[in-house]
Amino acid sequence: MRKMSDVYVISDLHLGHKNILKFAGTFRYGSTVDEHDDWLVEQWNSVVTKRDWVWVLGDVAFNKDALHLMQMMRGNKRLILGNHDMFPLGLYNKYFVSIHGLVSKSVNGRRAWLSHAPIHQDELRGCKNIHGHVHMNYIVKQNDDYKYARDDRYVNACVEASYGVPRKLTDLVMGD
């Protein structure tokens, strides 16, 4: 029986970024940018098949030469532009089926915003926000006891949050 396609999400690949390993510490693998990039391709392909869809929530590559690594990553890819995605759109069109700024998705009756940076809480409108940009950090809120805790309306999809493995959109939206 043929597997149905799945939809995955990941953010902040930072392919070709020489300093990302300094910033990310043990949340990423490799002692060189090439080791890091090879590890990301391996992590991605460990779960994604050629029939799957993957939303990349920005900050794909830090140099044009590293963009070619996207062709080694399985699946049909959609890009939500991040603050470091500054190349002409034509370069991204070679590797992505579509390119967006912000997307609203419905999963089993629950809505979620897909974005690169977290969106303001007043704009959530009852939806979760699956986002990147914050790397190994999380959005927090103050509770009634004036203590800070993770804000479960926000889901960090960065490489650092999943050790480089894209996660299923359904799990991110439906998880409580």
Side-chain angles (χ1 to χ4, degrees):
M1 187 166 146
R2 197 167 146 188
K3 174 188 178 265
M4 297 290 291
S5 63
D6 288 316
V7 179
Y8 292 92
V9 179
I10 194 163
S11 183
D12 294 87
L13 300 173
H14 285 253
L15 298 168
H17 187 184
K18 294 177 182 169
N19 288 321
I20 193 63
L21 295 169
K22 291 179 188 174
F23 302 135
T26 59
F27 293 97
R28 291 179 184 252
Y29 174 81
S31 57
T32 67
V33 69
D34 289 335
E35 280 183 9
H36 169 263
D37 292 351
D38 290 345
W39 169 77
L40 276 177
V41 171
E42 186 177 305
Q43 294 295 84
W44 178 298
N45 289 336
S46 72
V47 296
V48 177
T49 71
K50 68 180 182 178
R51 286 184 292 280
D52 292 331
W53 290 86
V54 183
W55 284 95
V56 178
L57 305 184
D59 290 2
V60 178
F62 265 55
N63 63 60
K64 293 175 189 175
D65 295 333
L67 267 175
H68 82 280
L69 293 167
M70 292 306 302
Q71 70 190 12
M72 298 172 60
M73 297 176 174
R74 296 184 195 130
N76 304 288
K77 298 170 264 310
R78 295 180 188 269
L79 175 62
I80 292 179
L81 291 169
N83 57 301
H84 291 294
D85 297 319
M86 302 171 90
F87 305 125
L89 292 181
L91 290 176
Y92 297 104
N93 284 332
K94 294 178 185 178
Y95 309 104
F96 294 92
V97 173
S98 60
I99 300 172
H100 309 266
L102 176 70
V103 171
S104 175
K105 296 293 291 176
S106 180
V107 176
N108 297 333
R110 287 192 180 172
R111 296 206 63 77
W113 294 104
L114 303 182
S115 63
H116 173 64
I119 64 175
H120 192 277
Q121 64 183 358
D122 291 346
E123 298 302 321
L124 291 176
R125 300 180 185 145
C127 301
K128 280 193 176 183
N129 181 202
I130 315 300
H131 64 85
H133 190 66
V134 297
H135 292 274
M136 63 284 254
N137 299 305
Y138 290 88
I139 307 302
V140 296
K141 66 179 178 179
Q142 194 174 39
N143 65 20
D144 293 337
D145 297 328
Y146 299 100
K147 295 181 182 174
Y148 289 95
R150 272 192 199 174
D151 189 332
D152 59 2
R153 299 173 298 176
Y154 294 90
V155 180
N156 181 350
C158 291
V159 163
E160 292 86 353
S162 66
Y163 203 61
V165 178
R167 295 182 286 169
K168 287 185 180 181
L169 177 61
T170 304
D171 296 343
L172 297 179
V173 173
M174 301 306 288
D176 293 306

